[in-house]
Amino acid sequence: GPKVLQIPSHQIIDMGQMVTLNCDPVSNHLYFYWYKQILGQQMEFLVNFYNGKVMEKSKLFKDQFSVERPDGSYFTLKIQPTALEDSAVYFCASSLGTGDYEQYFGPGTRLTVL
Amino acid sequence: GDSVTQTEGQVALSEEDFLTIHCNYSASGYPALFWYVQYPGEGPQFLFRASRDKEKGSSRGFEATYDKGTTSFHLRKASVQESDSAVYYCALGEQGGRALIFGTGTTVSVSP
């Protein structure tokens, strides 16, 4: 099936540093998402992005977070500065539409903030 | 807000056993309901969906029927295999919404 790629698979950084997580969504998809999963807990929605704009974000999407997709390249999640509680696996997803359209997920980036 | 509840946290079965995972939802509108499966080290994979009352979704021997009356979307498989060992998530897509709301997940372990 369609593949979403995420780079890197693991990232270890010191608290206070900036980190950028990269996602290569399915080529013809229009909607892009980030989800956060702390080890052993459920997947939680962070943000979704369409036509160059944030459409919806959750309370987990702190002011230190930002997303963009410059010129159709990677869809990125930037955290600046990072905090210890940002340690989690971050999943990117994409879809053709919303509502009852399925979302396709990448393999995740495991972020460890020391 | 909308939510999804999965009753079973962990299920241990033997091959050829019958699997049931209970999923109940709470939503103000008429959501789409999904099942996703997640294998170790991977992201969730779409299994199937249902969008209206009494609709049955199915894939790979798994099935679930949308029941608006009992607000449920229980996952069933008649005869599991060791390769079905994974974490299963029930999820809700709000009408006109964009985020998927996931349940807490059910870890299924199938022994040969």
Side-chain angles (χ1 to χ4, degrees):
Chain A
K3 294 285 188 192
V4 174
L5 305 177
Q6 288 187 243
I7 301 165
S9 56
H10 294 87
Q11 181 87 52
I12 301 173
I13 58 170
D14 291 322
M15 183 177 62
Q17 286 190 315
M18 181 194 78
V19 67
T20 300
L21 309 183
N22 299 291
C23 171
D24 188 10
V26 177
S27 60
N28 62 335
H29 283 184
L30 303 174
Y31 293 83
F32 313 114
Y33 312 80
W34 284 102
Y35 290 82
K36 177 182 179 181
Q37 186 176 41
I38 294 174
L39 188 64
Q41 298 184 25
Q42 71 193 96
M43 191 88 63
E44 293 189 280
F45 168 76
L46 284 176
V47 65
N48 102 316
F49 191 83
Y50 169 74
N51 198 26
K53 291 189 285 250
V54 170
M55 302 303 291
E56 186 179 5
K57 57 186 180 181
S58 75
K59 61 181 186 298
L60 295 179
F61 193 78
K62 304 180 296 184
D63 291 343
Q64 297 90 326
F65 289 27
S66 62
V67 291
E68 63 176 357
R69 193 184 188 212
D71 300 323
S73 60
Y74 286 145
F75 174 52
T76 63
L77 173 66
K78 185 185 294 186
I79 309 174
Q80 181 178 28
T82 50
L84 294 176
E85 61 265 26
D86 297 330
S87 294
V89 181
Y90 291 84
F91 291 96
C92 173
S94 68
S95 66
L96 269 174
T98 60
D100 62 354
Y101 282 84
E102 65 267 31
Q103 295 180 17
Y104 290 87
F105 286 78
T109 294
R110 181 175 298 279
L111 176 65
T112 302
V113 181
L114 303 176
Chain B
D2 294 358
S3 65
V4 176
T5 301
Q6 288 179 239
T7 310
E8 297 87 357
Q10 296 194 17
V11 174
L13 299 167
S14 300
E15 282 193 325
E16 299 183 16
D17 280 353
F18 193 97
L19 169 69
T20 300
I21 301 175
H22 295 94
C23 171
N24 288 89
Y25 70 91
S26 172
S28 52
Y30 206 141
L33 300 173
F34 301 80
W35 277 101
Y36 279 81
V37 57
Q38 186 177 24
Y39 300 99
E42 298 182 13
Q45 291 179 22
F46 170 74
L47 203 49
F48 57 81
R49 90 167 78 76
S51 302
R52 58 187 183 275
D53 193 23
K54 303 294 184 267
E55 180 180 356
K56 184 164 86 171
S58 63
S59 175
R60 307 187 218 170
F62 293 92
E63 61 179 42
T65 300
Y66 193 134
D67 190 329
K68 197 167 188 298
T70 58
T71 60
S72 66
F73 193 54
H74 304 319
L75 181 69
R76 294 185 167 91
K77 185 173 185 182
S79 176
V80 294
Q81 302 301 311
E82 192 177 2
S83 57
D84 294 325
S85 297
V87 180
Y88 292 81
Y89 290 98
C90 185
L92 175 160
E94 296 166 305
Q95 195 175 31
R98 301 171 186 92
L100 281 177
I101 297 171
F102 283 86
T104 48
T106 299
T107 301
V108 173
S109 302
V110 181
S111 53

